[in-house]
Amino acid sequence: MVKAAYKLKMPWLYRKICLVHHKKLTVGASIRESYRFLATHMDDFFRLASGPLFLWVVIKLTEQILLHEKDITFNSIYLLNLVTASFAIAWYRQYLLGAQHATYGQLLKSGFNGRAFSIRRFGRTLMRILMISLALLVPTLVLSISLMVYYQGQGVFVSEELIQQLAVKSTMVVMIIFSPILVRLSLFTAGLALGRTSLNFSDIWKSTRGYTITLWWVALRAFLPLALYTYVLTLLLHKTSDKLDIHYIATTLLIEGLAGALTFVMLAIVVAANAEAFRILIGVRDGDAPHRKDAGPRRDNAVKISADEKHLTGQQAE
């Protein structure tokens, strides 16, 4: 269709069909844009973050109640990952599509692209996740086993607690080592939020070539300041509550409420910076990123515009 539009000498249609690419990606501009977007869309942030924040506090409170009242250890990290991931996808759509396309109800009802559920697409998504997980799991296991062998050789008793510590440390080391690759592939999440079913990892890899260090610095500058602030604040609050002997329920509500709120603020900044990188490097369609002045027609007019263009194309072809 793009070639047909070009052959018919209709550059206006050619520009509509093609994705819109923008200026060169820079670290400072992406970070400033992400903070600016959050500051000017606080009402949408509260709308999208209030539900996940409530779930965050409930999950952490349940974890503490089970531990203190029933002596049951419950690892909430997986549930929290689902909660934060849902907010991240919604905030991607808020940045790239606008508020009317960034609701949890819409995602549950019609998915990312409004199409019916497909076993094939679902299976393909699971395979991508599995491939990335295996790519990270193998070096993590090798590093963990090597450390266990080393400690045993030094005469250290390898307990279950030590194995868990080694697993956490190994995961962190592997994530840091592979982070330049992961930040490039992370743009796929923005494509997923947009409903770009034709976009694959090879497209992302080609489009981000030469921007590995830039993307890495964008992610680091978006993540690190608030992450360190959250860590220090929660650590101080934990020590203060221990000294004052405050009940664990009140402590959990206070600390996890603040930690959860700061986590979602940090996530909003990281996601917006990543979405801005996607807009510049991968390209967006007319009407995407509607908060920008150069966005073009709104997406709610996209169907009408496409129909008008199709009608005009048919007339000129005749």
Side-chain angles (χ1 to χ4, degrees):
M1 188 175 180
V2 174
K3 291 182 179 179
Y6 186 78
K7 289 179 180 179
L8 289 171
K9 297 182 179 180
M10 291 181 290
W12 58 271
L13 181 56
Y14 183 81
R15 288 194 299 269
K16 291 288 183 182
I17 297 171
C18 289
L19 297 177
V20 180
H21 293 266
H22 296 270
K23 61 184 180 179
K24 184 178 180 180
L25 175 68
T26 60
V27 177
S30 296
I31 298 301
R32 285 194 299 271
E33 185 67 21
S34 64
Y35 275 92
R36 186 184 300 114
F37 182 78
L38 177 62
T40 55
H41 292 78
M42 288 302 296
D43 53 340
D44 291 305
F45 173 78
F46 288 123
R47 173 177 61 86
L48 294 173
S50 57
L53 178 59
F54 175 76
L55 291 176
W56 176 293
V57 174
V58 169
I59 290 170
K60 296 299 292 185
L61 185 61
T62 303
E63 181 183 36
Q64 291 301 314
I65 291 175
L66 290 175
L67 180 62
H68 285 82
E69 305 295 337
K70 305 293 182 180
D71 197 23
I72 298 175
T73 302
F74 168 63
N75 192 347
S76 61
I77 187 66
Y78 301 108
L79 290 177
L80 293 179
N81 285 340
L82 289 174
V83 171
T84 53
S86 64
F87 171 78
I89 293 295
W91 195 248
Y92 267 122
R93 291 175 69 84
Q94 175 69 41
Y95 188 94
L96 293 169
L97 298 178
Q100 62 182 350
H101 296 278
T103 64
Y104 297 112
Q106 185 186 51
L107 290 177
L108 290 173
K109 183 179 180 180
S110 57
F112 299 123
N113 52 16
R115 299 179 184 177
F117 176 79
S118 171
I119 296 293
R120 181 182 178 183
R121 288 200 305 272
F122 179 72
R124 197 164 57 182
T125 301
L126 286 181
M127 284 300 297
R128 288 168 176 165
I129 296 173
L130 182 61
M131 289 172 61
I132 296 176
S133 300
L134 288 175
L136 296 174
L137 180 62
V138 172
T140 302
L141 287 175
V142 171
L143 183 58
S144 299
I145 294 172
S146 301
L147 288 173
M148 283 190 289
V149 172
Y150 170 78
Y151 279 113
Q152 281 185 332
Q154 297 297 315
V156 178
F157 174 70
V158 181
S159 61
E160 183 178 349
E161 183 179 357
L162 179 60
I163 293 175
Q164 291 179 352
Q165 292 177 358
L166 292 177
V168 172
K169 293 177 181 178
S170 300
T171 303
M172 290 181 62
V173 170
V174 170
M175 292 293 287
I176 292 173
I177 293 174
F178 283 88
S179 60
I181 298 174
L182 294 175
V183 292
R184 289 176 65 179
L185 297 180
S186 67
L187 297 187
F188 180 78
T189 310
L192 178 67
L194 276 172
R196 297 264 193 92
T197 56
S198 60
L199 192 67
N200 53 47
F201 285 137
S202 63
D203 297 329
I204 298 293
W205 192 257
K206 292 175 182 177
S207 298
T208 56
R209 185 175 298 154
Y211 286 93
T212 302
I213 301 300
T214 303
L215 288 170
W216 192 83
W217 274 113
V218 167
L220 190 65
R221 284 188 57 180
F223 164 80
L224 196 58
L226 274 173
L228 290 176
Y229 179 76
T230 303
Y231 174 77
V232 172
L233 180 61
T234 53
L235 184 64
L236 291 175
L237 287 175
H238 273 296
K239 290 184 176 181
T240 302
S241 64
D242 290 340
K243 289 181 180 180
L244 297 177
D245 195 23
I246 302 175
H247 194 273
Y248 75 91
I249 291 182
T251 301
T252 302
L253 290 174
L254 174 62
I255 295 177
E256 295 303 331
L258 287 173
L262 289 173
T263 298
F264 288 115
V265 170
M266 176 192 68
L267 195 58
I269 294 170
V270 172
V271 165
N274 193 267
E276 177 66 7
F278 181 92
R279 185 186 70 84
I280 294 173
L281 297 180
I282 311 300
V284 293
R285 296 161 295 196
D286 281 345
D288 287 345
H291 62 281
R292 297 183 59 87
K293 294 180 180 179
D294 57 354
R298 297 277 302 187
R299 288 186 62 83
D300 50 10
N301 296 326
V303 175
K304 182 180 183 299
I305 291 171
S306 298
D308 292 341
E309 288 175 353
K310 185 176 180 181
H311 177 67
L312 289 173
T313 303
Q315 286 183 339
Q316 294 195 28
E318 291 175 359

